[in-house]
Amino acid sequence: MHLDHVFVCGDPALDFAATLRARRSARFEMFVTPDRLDAWYRESGVVDTIVPGGGSDVEQATAVREAIYQLVTDRRLGEEFDGKALDALNAAARKPPATPQLTPSGRRTEATPEQGLSTVARYAVELLSGPEVPLMKECGNPECTRVYVDRSRGMRRQWCGMDSCGNRIKAAAYRARRRAAPAAAAR
């Protein structure tokens, strides 16, 4: 199975918020169909299987995703929480979450889209009220708007992930240095 979603943020709620990419420029939407939303729930590990969702599930998920992003931004910038975003997140978190079950072959979590969304909302509540708030950073790539939890030693991480942004930034800096070197040598 090909995984289309990227999980580099260090928390399911932040990975969920990152499904609208490049918010400041191109705005690339990952949840274009109910299938893409269902795939995210499975690929993230939030659930093992999910009842196929519909258009209204995508609408609800994108509304909660935007609420999470707003609240994360508010918290990161030290601002008061946006009231509408808080209401949207808490409404989703109040719904029954996905419940893991023990089976003869191990742990298995089956869910409806509403239960998957409630589970993600609960992750957001835990993150935004917990000890990792000071570790949240926005990616250093100006094109990327992912927020991640920086658990690196000394909190020196600069981008959401090496594969997604770090290598791109480092390669661009290297090319810029190479272009500047001949000019400096000619002086």
Side-chain angles (χ1 to χ4, degrees), residues 115-129:
Q115 290 170 320
L117 187 58
S118 174
T119 302
V120 170
R122 289 166 183 235
Y123 277 117
V125 168
E126 292 303 315
L127 175 68
L128 291 167
S129 64

Side-chain angles (χ1 to χ4, degrees), residues 69-85:
Y69 186 79
Q70 179 65 54
L71 296 168
V72 164
T73 301
D74 292 344
R75 181 56 83 221
R76 225 174 33 76
L77 300 178
E79 296 176 359
E80 289 287 317
F81 281 141
D82 178 86
K84 284 177 123 171

Side-chain angles (χ1 to χ4, degrees), residues 9-11 14 127 132 135-136 147-151 157:
C9 299
D11 186 277
L14 294 177
L127 175 68
E132 293 190 316
L135 306 181
M136 291 191 308
V147 174
Y148 61 93
V149 177
D150 183 359
R151 296 184 185 100
R157 192 169 145 195

Side-chain angles (χ1 to χ4, degrees), residues 6-183:
V6 179
F7 302 95
V8 295
C9 299
D11 186 277
L14 294 177
D15 285 319
F16 194 73
T19 58
L20 178 59
R21 305 232 179 106
R23 290 169 179 271
R24 288 187 285 269
S25 55
R27 295 181 70 86
F28 183 75
E29 175 63 66
M30 296 299 293
F31 296 155
V32 290
T33 63
D35 287 350
R36 301 297 305 126
L37 175 61
D38 296 346
W40 188 91
Y41 287 127
R42 286 190 313 273
E43 292 170 19
S44 69
V46 168
V47 303
D48 296 305
T49 59
I50 191 151
V51 175
S56 64
D57 295 309
V58 173
E59 287 174 30
Q60 287 175 335
T62 55
V64 172
R65 177 195 63 202
E66 292 310 298
I68 292 170
Y69 186 79
Q70 179 65 54
L71 296 168
V72 164
T73 301
D74 292 344
R75 181 56 83 221
R76 225 174 33 76
L77 300 178
E79 296 176 359
E80 289 287 317
F81 281 141
D82 178 86
K84 284 177 123 171
L86 208 52
D87 291 346
L89 177 68
N90 287 330
R94 275 193 292 275
K95 304 276 170 83
T99 308
Q101 300 289 297
L102 185 62
T103 69
S105 58
R107 180 183 193 268
R108 181 147 187 86
T109 304
E110 298 177 4
T112 63
E114 184 178 82
Q115 290 170 320
L117 187 58
S118 174
T119 302
V120 170
R122 289 166 183 235
Y123 277 117
V125 168
E126 292 303 315
L127 175 68
L128 291 167
S129 64
E132 293 190 316
V133 166
L135 306 181
M136 291 191 308
K137 288 182 174 178
E138 188 177 62
C139 183
N141 176 351
E143 293 299 308
C144 183
T145 53
R146 284 188 191 113
V147 174
Y148 61 93
V149 177
D150 183 359
R151 296 184 185 100
S152 68
R153 191 183 313 209
M155 286 187 57
R156 291 203 172 99
R157 192 169 145 195
Q158 296 176 6
W159 26 76
C160 61
M162 275 308 288
D163 291 343
S164 47
C165 289
N167 287 336
R168 225 175 284 150
I169 297 290
K170 286 184 167 191
Y174 174 77
R175 286 191 300 274
R177 285 193 307 273
R178 296 277 299 184
R179 281 192 302 272

